[in-house]
Amino acid sequence: MVFWVFGYGSLVWNPGFDYDDKMIGFITDYRRVFDLACIDHRGTPDHPARTCTLEKYQGAICWGTAYCVGGGPEKEKAAMEYLERRECEYDKKSLVEFFKDEDDVQPTLTGVIVFTSTPDKVSNKYYLGPAPLEDMARQIATAHGPCGNNREYLFSLEKAMFDIGHEEDYIIELANEVRKVLEIKGAGKEKRLIRPVHTPEKGLIRPVHTPLKSHISPLKIHPLVEAVAGDS
């Protein structure tokens, strides 16, 4: 049985499993937040990293990548076992609708798996909860683990969202705050992500920084008829 899984963190740029197809798109009523601890990849139990999870938020949309896994029971089982090991800090698997375009009335896919975390420090030991931007930046700037440091995770996500054409202001703001911390600590200046802008008058390309706005993307609300799962 074929399944689809939605990636919104490191799965966007590094799925790590064998898949048959992928699509860029979004899910609704969720927003990305850096409220989850990672103690075995980008951090340690003594100094946990901050990685992203999803938070329920009416009207928000979250862009990412959906991956299709088929090819028979063995391949599908291997992919799911890999995902469950990798996403061990996430204590929930939810089924969501997936859209390719903001003007779509019906979802492209239904029943897409997404790994999320319970926003409760008692029932989920990995849940850190929200914190001021400056505090999160200091934690991300200094945490590291067996798979690398925490800031590489954030900067890779920033670039991945740029690459799929859906930069997110929340990520950019947090990444720029981490760069400030690194400069203060003398760790050197981390390269800021910039994008080329065409100047029609002279045909020049000049880099500019992305303007900051709210990290909640606007969403056109449409009445949904009964959803039908697609397979492409």
Side-chain angles (χ1 to χ4, degrees):
M1 181 177 179
V2 173
F3 72 84
W4 286 82
V5 61
F6 179 71
Y8 57 89
S10 61
L11 291 179
V12 177
W13 77 89
N14 180 30
F17 59 92
D18 190 15
Y19 61 89
D20 299 291
D21 194 11
K22 71 175 183 178
M23 287 192 288
I24 306 301
F26 65 89
I27 62 175
T28 63
D29 297 330
Y30 284 97
R31 64 180 179 182
R32 206 172 346 238
V33 291
F34 273 74
D35 292 352
L36 195 68
C38 176
I39 63 172
D40 57 353
H41 287 77
R42 301 283 182 169
T44 64
D46 293 333
H47 193 168
R50 270 190 180 265
T51 53
C52 62
T53 184
L54 293 180
E55 176 182 78
K56 278 280 191 179
Y57 197 93
Q58 187 68 33
I61 66 175
C62 178
W63 285 90
T65 306
Y67 298 95
C68 175
V69 179
E74 290 187 5
K75 180 180 175 182
E76 294 154 22
K77 180 182 178 183
M80 183 55 66
E81 288 178 348
Y82 167 80
L83 285 165
E84 289 175 342
R85 288 194 305 270
R86 174 168 166 171
E87 309 292 273
C88 61
E89 283 95 357
Y90 300 84
D91 62 331
K92 293 174 61 179
K93 286 200 294 280
S94 302
L95 299 179
V96 296
E97 296 176 337
F98 175 87
F99 298 81
K100 287 187 67 175
D101 190 280
E102 289 182 71
D103 292 325
D104 287 348
V105 175
Q106 291 186 338
T108 305
L109 301 166
T110 61
V112 176
I113 299 168
V114 62
F115 287 81
T116 61
S117 54
T118 304
D120 185 299
K121 294 181 180 180
V122 175
S123 59
N124 181 4
K125 65 180 181 179
Y126 297 108
Y127 181 70
L128 296 172
L133 188 70
E134 296 82 1
D135 292 349
M136 288 196 295
R138 282 192 291 271
Q139 184 175 357
I140 292 170
T142 54
H144 59 86
C147 295
N149 59 53
N150 199 177
R151 61 181 181 268
E152 287 174 351
Y153 171 93
L154 172 59
F155 296 148
S156 294
L157 179 58
E158 181 187 33
K159 181 180 183 301
M161 298 308 295
F162 175 85
D163 290 342
I164 68 171
H166 293 285
E167 297 164 279
E168 189 170 302
D169 295 329
Y170 170 66
I171 297 171
I172 295 171
E173 290 172 4
L174 183 56
N176 285 339
E177 193 65 31
V178 169
R179 293 183 179 101
K180 291 180 185 178
V181 174
L182 294 173
E183 289 175 14
I184 292 172
K185 290 182 172 293
K189 293 185 178 181
E190 294 287 341
K191 186 176 181 181
R192 293 175 183 265
L193 185 64
I194 55 179
R195 62 184 180 186
V197 174
H198 181 62
T199 306
E201 295 82 359
K202 298 182 180 180
L204 300 178
I205 298 296
R206 60 185 175 86
V208 298
H209 295 291
T210 302
L212 301 181
K213 301 169 287 187
S214 167
H215 70 278
I216 305 171
S217 303
L219 173 67
K220 294 182 180 180
I221 303 298
H222 302 278
L224 292 178
V225 299
E226 184 178 355
V228 178
D231 59 359
S232 60

